[in-house]
Amino acid sequence: MAEQNTSTAPLEKTFNPSQYEAPLYQHWEESGVFTAHPEKEGRAFSIMFPPPNVTGTLHLGHALNFTLQDILIRWQRMNGANVLWQPGTDHAGIATQMVVERALDKEGISRTALGRPGFIDRVWDWKKEYGGTIVRQLRTLGASADWSRERFTMDDGLSKAVRKVFVQLHKEGLIYRDRRLVNWDPAFRSAISDLEVENRETKGSMWYIRYPLDDGRTITIATTRPETMLGDVAVAVSPEDDRYRDMIGQEVTLPLTGRRVPIIADEHSDPEKGTGAVKITPAHDFNDFEVGKRHNLAAPTILDEGAHIWLDDIESEIKVVEGLADPAFVRSLAGMHRDEARKKIVAELERLEWLEKIEPHTLQVPIAERGGAIVEPRLTLQWYCDAPKLAGPAVEAVQNEKIVFEPRQWENTFFAWMRELQPWCISRQLWWGHRIPAWYGSDGQTYVAETEEDAQAQAGEGVILTQDEDVLDTWFSSALWPFSTLGWPDNTEALKRYYPTSVLVTGFDIIFFWVSRMMMMGLHFMGEVPFHKVLIHGLVRDEKGQKMSKSRGNGLDPLELVSEFGADAVRLAICAGAGLGRDIKLGRGRVEEHRAFITKLWNASRFLQMNGAAPAAQFDPTQVKGTLSRWIIQEARQATENAQAALQASRFDDYARCCYHFVWNIFCDWFVEFAKPIFNAGGEEAAELKAVSAYVLGIILRMMQPVIPFVTATLWQKLGYEGEFATTSWPIVPSIAEAQKAADDVNWLVRLITEVRVVRSEMNVPPSQKAPLLFRDAKPETIERAQQWHEAISRMARASEVSALTGEAPHMAAQIVLDEATIFLPLEGVIDLDAERNRLRKEVTRLETEIEKVTKKLSNENFVSRAKPEVVQENRDRLSDFEHELTRQKAALARLD
């Protein structure tokens, strides 16, 4: 569907998004309007996709993130910037490997049976067939990215960048191998990142176990993991705990294994928790690992990579102790899964009477986000990046405002995370991903190089090399995204033109995992920040403010919403709710409301077209003479300036609100209504007003292109506006002569009609019943103004007469004060005044009763503390509504009394 102005056929009665969206998008993409041209002039503006997982499908979080990006990109394109919106996807190591392994399981094939090369081939096959799902769905949403530059984190060019970065950081001592605790997924048998671990509240048990001292006393420890006692190396107590002060330095004999371990003093033990004594198992607990380092303790591993009991590290220390330890029992646990071993250990402790008691206990259990396995802290040899050393320039860049977070309070979160940085585990025990460029030689040496040929050259002839089996953490390649996608390490034109990027739009949950790491890598390798602004958006919640989840059944599929309401309605609903840093409340009702706005715009455009309002090529807005024409052009000028300012400040909700108010309230509700009789009358005034209508409608279409591109492009084409809509510029409206006088006149008219409508509504005057409007104490110019707009007042305020009051004020009339004038609306004979008084009094009584009920409920501390937050908020909203309505009804009653 070429976007050409070859036809001005009548608009259909209704806008059908499905008829226009796909053809329009295809035209845009094929015509190259989204393509970046680094060689061309213009201020550079660039945004990088936060690359969605190649396994992903579009969810509401994506819809929010990419809608906001697209609004900025389209707006900057309209403002003359040389724009690049760089798209791409992430290879998502563990997620993709899991998906492909599950597909193989259905075929009865195992990953190991295929072997590494065969499995990798199958992953690439899967990627070719299914990996583009989310980018196709983003097109459905209207994302105007430069798809010709689409990248994938496993592309050859990006792989080259990853290898170069690894080798350079290794040479600088910033990448090294170390034996430390990691989050370990026993199902995938790999280290995983903190972001891939979900802590779930679970009901479990706390076991109290007595450990004997040599002097006949015992010390009781409390644990949720009795199976890890096989790897205990100490019992820790607080140095300030008087109960255990004389035990510090003594030894206990561990039940079951007979191993002897010391009682140590360490602040890690909290006298207020449990028994105040804690078992220390450095190889299986992050806190214990730190205690072990402080006290130079051993760290025996007692669980293998699949979370089965493994005794090699403690085999030589297992002893027979009568009534306490039996090596035969301990050895019977070897190879047993931790859950089964836990039951056996608890039963044996109970049999030997070393189990003091068991209590119910609620705990946080770490669960692997992919696959659902319980994550184990595990001591393994891994590759690490010295993140604390790389962090300094990133922190400084934020402190010096080279990078600004919006909202600014997220900078505090960033600083807090950066202060707590630990070495970053960058190796993963997977097959899918960037394989670590390190080779182990038959000479016992390790060779780190970009290629095997380089590694062999380092090793020399005769040394047999074996490449490291592990791959890099997905976040490692993602950290290079802002410059690797632009061709680095080659000094490409795109890299020179678009780096640093302008803004990063992302959620707060990955500030630490991705945002900070891009800062580190960008500053280290490019000597420059990767972006100037980090725009943090909130979460999408349902209409009541609850988090969306499958269990609640309140989730929404953005593609279903697009199918039902159109992409524009979804985009506009998201934009309208996207306050800076705030969560967005979104439901079907909100999307439907914004589809109603699109319908309103379509209907207004159709009305103008039917009345002959067509774009005029030589139209000069500065030459208009009519009051209504000058007023609406001035209002359009103000609206475009407000919209521009809102987008400049990343206030998407203000931008939507400004557009909504101008289009619906000013243009449709007032201007079009005022224009109707003038259109019908014909003549020069009508001709001017039709040209003005088309001019202002063109401004609206351009002003709203960033958020509702499909309906605005359709109207632009069908109504005969000139030029390719996708490349039109942001509307600049000139100042208009005598604009203030026109504004004063029309705004007075709007206030008058509005006040009359309010009074008629409060007084329950039937719409069909007309009533006179009588002006007292009005200046001559006010009477003249009223006469000038007599037709509009009569029609829109349902006035049977508009005139100055002569004589006494009418009996039983509602009064309106407007500037210097008092306007009477006689009601005698128009409504039954006694019946209306009775109705209003009953309504006031009803509202007062409702307010009393809700106030009583909200004053009840038990209700406020125990009820769901959304229920409490619902009652607060009801109270506010009742109070507002009571004020309105009392005002109406006062008018009659």
Side-chain angles (χ1 to χ4, degrees), residues 97 115-125 154 431-433:
Q97 182 158 324
R116 187 167 192 149
F119 178 74
I120 296 300
D121 287 343
R122 288 296 295 265
V123 180
W124 278 110
D125 290 343
M154 290 282 285
W431 283 358
W432 172 244

Side-chain angles (χ1 to χ4, degrees), residues 101-120:
E101 283 194 46
R102 285 178 177 171
L104 290 173
D105 285 343
K106 292 179 181 177
E107 299 175 30
I109 303 171
S110 71
R111 168 170 62 94
T112 51
L114 275 178
R116 187 167 192 149
F119 178 74
I120 296 300

Side-chain angles (χ1 to χ4, degrees), residues 351-372:
R351 185 184 74 80
L352 295 172
E353 298 182 349
W354 293 105
L355 183 64
E356 186 173 295
K357 63 179 177 177
I358 306 173
E359 290 181 345
H361 181 70
T362 301
L363 66 158
Q364 297 290 326
V365 176
I367 303 294
E369 185 185 50
R370 312 285 182 184

Side-chain angles (χ1 to χ4, degrees), residues 783-808:
I783 299 299
E784 183 183 346
R785 192 182 267 169
Q787 294 303 323
Q788 177 190 349
W789 297 104
H790 181 277
E791 189 282 332
I793 298 170
S794 175
R795 177 168 50 91
M796 298 173 71
R798 307 299 294 148
S800 58
E801 175 189 345
V802 180
S803 61
L805 175 67
T806 56
E808 294 295 319

Side-chain angles (χ1 to χ4, degrees), residues 25 29 32-38 47 49 73 77 83-88 139 143-151 498:
Y25 194 91
E29 191 171 353
V33 294
F34 303 156
T35 305
H37 297 282
I47 296 179
F49 265 36
I73 285 292
R77 199 181 277 132
V83 166
L84 167 64
W85 191 13
Q86 174 66 56
R139 286 172 165 89
S144 62
D146 183 354
W147 297 107
S148 68
R149 292 178 177 270
E150 184 182 344
R151 304 306 299 268
Y498 299 116

